[in-house]
């Protein structure tokens, strides 16, 4: 029996990471982050990265990650189909020193193992705090042979503001939801401290969306039903679309008229055949027409005739009783008087 989740929090294993940028080398030999307009995948598994490259394009290359040798591919995809698990998003304000996370908080209160209010100060402007927002979204890749999560990390304020709303909205489905993960370019402005001039800038923001689903369908559980049907593949969709019982074949194999009528009546009660009532009725009529009009009459014609009773039969008949004649009562005073 597994450990209770209140004692030990469960989590999916991770197969790789989804990234929105790369690191380049400056002229003085220092690395700096640079944005890209497509998804970049990294993983310790070369086979998984090759599977990503076969589906979304790009060249597989070795990559020296902080955790050790891995593989990477910069794809041509700006949107990919994913499955979002329940509670797939986490978000914290974090302070990092290289590879070490110094502390985490919600922006108001510290998180374990620390206790108490946020050390940055809840009344300090977000951009001036030492802790920065870190948003992590774990998804499953629908089109890549992988059973683990692929985690997308973002340190941007726009992703921190938008992704949680989308993830919480999808969480109302209460199950693993099929969605699209995309990256979009946004434009903005910033104040350049070098010359104190406002300049335009562009940046990439990740997002989640579901196409073809309305709010009512999401709240009613329709998204969950479609997700289960879609993950079943073509064979599962064919099973779901086709009726479970083939009443037409049953009618054709029915041995007599009563069996045909019983099958036809049963089909009328089957929701999967509600739209094919006329077709079933026509098949039933055609099958019934192949049988004799009355099987009882045909049986009587086929049976041998009764033998005539012998005139010397010893069987005695009960004679018919003659009805008793009722006497007419005399009328008083009807005679002559003397």
């Amino acid at each position: 029996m597994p450990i209770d989740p209140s004692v030990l929090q469960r989590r999916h294993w991770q197969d790789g990471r989804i990234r929105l940028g790369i690191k380049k080398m400056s002229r003085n030999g220092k690395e700096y982050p640079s944005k890209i307009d497509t998804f970049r995948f990294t993983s310790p598994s070369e086979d998984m990265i090759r599977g990503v490259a076969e589906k979304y394009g790009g060249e597989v290359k070795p990559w020296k990650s902080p955790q050790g040798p891995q593989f990477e591919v910069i794809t041509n995809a700006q949107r990919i189909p994913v499955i979002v698990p329940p509670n797939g998003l986490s978000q914290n304000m974090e302070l990092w020193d290289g590879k070490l996370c110094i502390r985490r908080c919600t922006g108001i209160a510290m998180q374990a193992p620390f206790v108490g209010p946020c050390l940055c100060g809840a009344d300090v402007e977000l951009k001036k705090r030492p802790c920065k927002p870190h948003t992590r979204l774990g998804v499953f890749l629908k089109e890549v042979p992988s059973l683990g999560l692929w985690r997308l990390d973002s340190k941007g304020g726009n992703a921190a503001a938008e992704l949680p709303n989308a993830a919480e909205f999808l969480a109302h489905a209460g199950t693993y939801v099929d969605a699209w993960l995309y990256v979009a370019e946004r434009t903005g402005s910033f104040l350049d401290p070098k010359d104190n001039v406002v300049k335009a800038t562009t940046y990439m923001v990740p997002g989640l969306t579901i196409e073809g689903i309305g709010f009512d369908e999401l709240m009613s559980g329709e998204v969950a039903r479609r997700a289960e049907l879609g993950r079943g593949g073509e064979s599962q969709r064919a099973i779901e679309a086709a009726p479970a019982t083939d009443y037409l074949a049953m009618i054709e194999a029915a041995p007599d008229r009563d069996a045909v009528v019983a099958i036809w009546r049963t089909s009328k009660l089957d929701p999967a055949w509600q739209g094919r009532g006329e077709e079933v009725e026509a098949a039933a009529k055609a099958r019934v027409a192949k049988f004799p009009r009355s099987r009882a009459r045909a049986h009587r014609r086929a049976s041998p005739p009764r033998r005539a009773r012998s005139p010397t039969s010893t069987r005695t008949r009960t004679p018919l009783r003659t009805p008793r004649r009722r006497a007419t009562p005399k009328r008083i005073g009807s005679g002559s008087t003397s």
Side-chain angles (χ1 to χ4, degrees):
M1 192 171 183
I3 301 175
D4 191 278
S6 62
V7 178
L8 179 64
Q9 185 178 5
R10 303 172 189 173
R11 59 177 179 265
H12 292 282
W13 69 87
Q14 184 175 303
D15 281 345
R17 301 276 293 273
I18 305 174
R19 304 175 186 269
L20 301 178
I22 58 175
K23 287 189 176 181
K24 294 183 177 180
M25 192 69 67
S26 63
R27 294 180 180 178
N28 57 6
K30 293 184 178 181
E31 288 186 339
Y32 67 95
S34 177
K35 65 182 179 182
I36 54 176
D37 57 1
T38 58
F39 288 113
R40 171 176 167 243
F41 293 81
T42 63
S43 173
S45 172
E46 182 178 3
D47 291 339
M48 289 187 180
I49 293 299
R50 291 195 179 278
V52 172
E54 290 176 1
K55 192 64 183 179
Y56 304 121
E59 181 182 357
V60 177
K61 297 180 179 179
W63 177 57
K64 294 181 180 180
S65 74
Q67 291 77 29
Q70 294 190 15
F71 298 88
E72 68 172 353
V73 59
I74 300 176
T75 66
N76 302 323
Q78 290 185 324
R79 63 197 305 266
I80 56 175
V82 297
I83 298 174
V84 183
N87 302 320
L89 183 136
S90 65
Q91 192 175 46
N92 300 290
M93 295 291 291
E94 300 177 0
L95 176 62
W96 285 77
D97 182 10
K99 301 179 182 180
L100 179 63
C101 180
I102 305 299
R103 63 175 183 258
R104 287 190 177 96
C105 69
T106 63
I108 302 296
M110 298 295 296
Q111 291 190 358
F114 301 96
V115 293
C118 176
L119 299 181
C120 297
D123 56 344
V124 178
E125 186 181 352
L126 182 63
K127 294 182 179 181
K128 296 181 179 180
R129 297 188 184 188
C131 296
K132 302 301 179 183
H134 285 250
T135 305
R136 298 175 178 87
L137 174 66
V139 297
F140 296 98
L141 303 181
K142 286 189 63 176
E143 300 177 329
V144 176
S146 166
L147 297 179
L149 282 177
W150 292 75
R151 199 182 78 192
L152 183 146
D153 291 15
S154 177
K155 302 176 185 178
N158 290 278
E162 298 177 14
L163 272 180
N165 289 335
E168 290 178 6
F169 190 71
L170 298 182
H172 284 284
T175 183
Y176 293 78
V177 182
D178 290 28
W180 288 89
L181 178 65
Y182 67 89
V183 57
E185 185 178 76
R186 304 282 181 84
T187 58
S189 60
F190 71 101
L191 180 63
D192 192 343
K194 295 181 180 179
D195 50 12
N196 201 27
V197 175
V198 177
K199 297 182 179 180
T201 182
T202 60
Y203 50 91
M204 309 305 296
V205 178
L208 281 172
T209 185
I210 298 180
E211 296 179 351
I213 296 293
F215 184 81
D216 292 340
E217 292 174 305
L218 180 67
M219 296 296 106
S220 65
E222 178 66 15
V223 174
R225 192 194 71 82
R226 293 190 185 185
E228 293 177 1
L229 180 60
R231 286 191 290 273
E234 296 297 333
S235 59
Q236 181 65 28
R237 281 192 287 272
I239 293 174
E240 181 75 12
T245 306
D246 191 350
Y247 294 103
L248 299 179
M250 294 175 63
I251 289 175
E252 189 63 26
D256 51 41
R257 180 183 181 279
D258 293 339
V260 173
V261 173
I263 296 170
W264 169 67
R265 288 177 177 174
T266 303
S267 69
K268 294 174 65 176
L269 302 176
D270 192 338
W273 285 78
Q274 292 299 318
R276 304 178 64 181
E278 296 181 357
E279 181 182 359
V280 177
E281 184 176 356
K285 290 180 178 179
R287 180 58 177 166
V288 169
K290 297 179 181 180
F291 298 123
R293 290 188 177 182
S294 175
R295 294 181 63 87
R297 292 179 182 177
H299 177 72
R300 287 198 296 269
R301 286 196 298 267
S303 61
R306 286 185 174 184
R307 291 186 302 170
R309 183 173 297 168
S310 173
T312 60
S313 175
T314 59
R315 181 179 178 183
T316 59
R317 287 188 174 184
T318 303
L320 298 176
R321 293 183 179 181
T322 304
R324 182 178 298 179
R325 187 175 181 180
R326 298 179 62 182
T328 304
K330 292 183 179 182
R331 299 174 62 182
I332 301 175
S334 61
S336 58
T337 58
S338 54

